[in-house]
Amino acid sequence: MGVNADEMLRRGAVAWLEWRSHQSEVPDLSDAKLIDLNLRGADLHDANLRRSNLTNTKLVAANMRGANLTNALLDGADLVNADLRSIEAITASFTGADLRRVQLADANLMGSNLSHTDLRDADLASLQAIAIDLTSARLRGADLDRIDLHRATLCYTDLAHTNLAHANLSQAILTEAELGAAHLYRANFTQARMRSSHLVRIYGVLATFDRADLTDADLSWANLTKTSFTGAILHHTNLRGADLAGADFTGADLTGADLSYTNLRKTMLDRANLTDTLFTGAMR
């Protein structure tokens, strides 16, 4: 009588690879209990891992491309250098997982929990990440080109030096998030909640912050040419030294904001609330 897929996987990556090479069907590991296993380098591409428990499992450099991880548990898992491209991981949990340099391009993680994960230098290009939780996650240096983070939670998240070009962060929560020196070309932050967020020296050309709440945020020395802030809340926002040439602040509330030494050439301030706004040394 042959062993089933999860029993064979428990024997280790080498035995698993040999066994799988003789299988004609995609392995079914749904509901499997694979806690604390060492599956370094395992070939799990296209596997059915729905509702599986991979808590604290070592999956370093594993090939999981195209796998179904919907409702799976990967809390504390070690996935450094793993290939997770095109996985389906809706409402999965990766809390505290090590995802450094992981490949997640074109994956679907809608509604998943990635709080406190380490995603430094990861590839998340075109990731479907609607309503995911990235609270306190570390993504410094990651590629998030065209990622969809609509309604995502990114409070206290480190996004410094990331590529967020064309990213969708509409209605996302970025309270006290770190985005210093991030590349935000044409990124969409419409109605995002960004109180006390840190955006020093970002490249935000043609980005959209319409109706976003940027109260107490720091956008000093940022490149914000042709950026849209229509209807945005910028109470006491620090824009000191920013390049705001051609930016649109129509209907924005800039009460107490610091626009000292900014470039305001062709900047639109129609119907903006400029109560107590500082313009020391601004170029108009």
Side-chain angles (χ1 to χ4, degrees):
M1 182 177 180
V3 296
N4 58 30
D6 60 333
E7 288 176 347
M8 181 55 67
L9 190 55
R10 291 174 188 278
R11 298 183 184 181
V14 175
W16 168 263
L17 184 62
E18 172 64 21
W19 176 82
R20 186 168 186 186
S21 66
H22 298 291
Q23 305 303 307
S24 58
E25 298 181 356
V26 172
D28 184 3
L29 291 158
S30 56
D31 300 297
K33 301 296 187 291
L34 303 167
I35 301 169
D36 293 319
L37 297 185
N38 185 353
L39 301 176
R40 181 185 295 267
D43 182 3
L44 293 164
H45 77 274
D46 296 325
N48 179 8
L49 287 154
R50 290 172 62 93
R51 301 178 303 280
S52 60
N53 191 339
L54 291 151
T55 300
N56 296 324
T57 297
K58 290 189 181 300
L59 290 155
V60 176
N63 179 7
M64 302 176 76
R65 187 169 183 171
N68 190 334
L69 288 153
T70 295
N71 292 321
L73 296 177
L74 294 103
D75 299 334
D78 187 347
L79 288 144
V80 173
N81 292 321
D83 186 350
L84 299 174
R85 285 174 291 177
S86 302
I87 65 167
E88 185 90 353
I90 298 172
T91 60
S93 181
F94 293 81
T95 303
D98 192 342
L99 292 153
R100 285 174 294 159
R101 300 182 299 281
V102 75
Q103 298 179 64
L104 266 165
D106 300 310
N108 185 356
L109 272 68
M110 184 183 299
S112 291
N113 186 352
L114 281 83
S115 59
H116 303 281
T117 53
D118 191 343
L119 282 151
R120 285 175 292 174
D121 301 311
D123 180 4
L124 289 82
S126 301
L127 175 67
Q128 292 298 311
I130 296 172
I132 72 169
D133 187 352
L134 281 161
T135 300
S136 297
R138 291 182 286 175
L139 291 103
R140 186 173 293 252
D143 184 2
L144 295 93
D145 182 71
R146 300 181 188 276
I147 191 172
D148 191 349
L149 286 161
H150 174 64
R151 293 191 296 108
T153 301
L154 299 109
C155 299
Y156 315 108
T157 303
D158 184 359
L159 292 154
H161 300 279
T162 55
N163 175 21
L164 280 158
H166 303 279
N168 179 19
L169 291 104
S170 58
Q171 298 183 39
I173 304 172
L174 295 111
T175 304
E176 295 191 42
E178 170 61 65
L179 290 107
H183 185 85
L184 308 179
Y185 177 72
R186 289 190 180 275
N188 180 11
F189 290 88
T190 300
Q191 291 186 299
R193 292 154 62 183
M194 306 180 72
R195 285 176 169 252
S196 302
S197 54
H198 192 255
L199 298 101
V200 174
R201 298 186 184 279
I202 61 168
Y203 183 86
V205 174
L206 292 169
T208 301
F209 292 89
D210 295 341
R211 302 185 304 285
D213 185 353
L214 287 149
T215 299
D216 294 317
D218 189 351
L219 289 92
S220 57
W221 309 105
N223 187 342
L224 298 166
T225 57
K226 298 183 180 180
T227 298
S228 181
F229 291 92
T230 62
I233 301 171
L234 297 118
H235 292 178
H236 304 286
T237 301
N238 183 8
L239 288 153
R240 187 181 183 89
D243 189 347
L244 301 171
D248 188 354
F249 288 90
T250 301
D253 189 346
L254 288 148
T255 301
D258 186 355
L259 275 69
S260 300
Y261 307 104
T262 53
N263 179 2
L264 294 172
R265 292 190 176 97
K266 297 184 179 180
T267 302
M268 289 168 274
L269 292 163
D270 299 341
R271 302 189 308 280
N273 185 348
L274 302 174
T275 304
D276 297 323
T277 303
L278 298 178
F279 289 98
T280 305
M283 294 180 291
R284 306 192 204 192

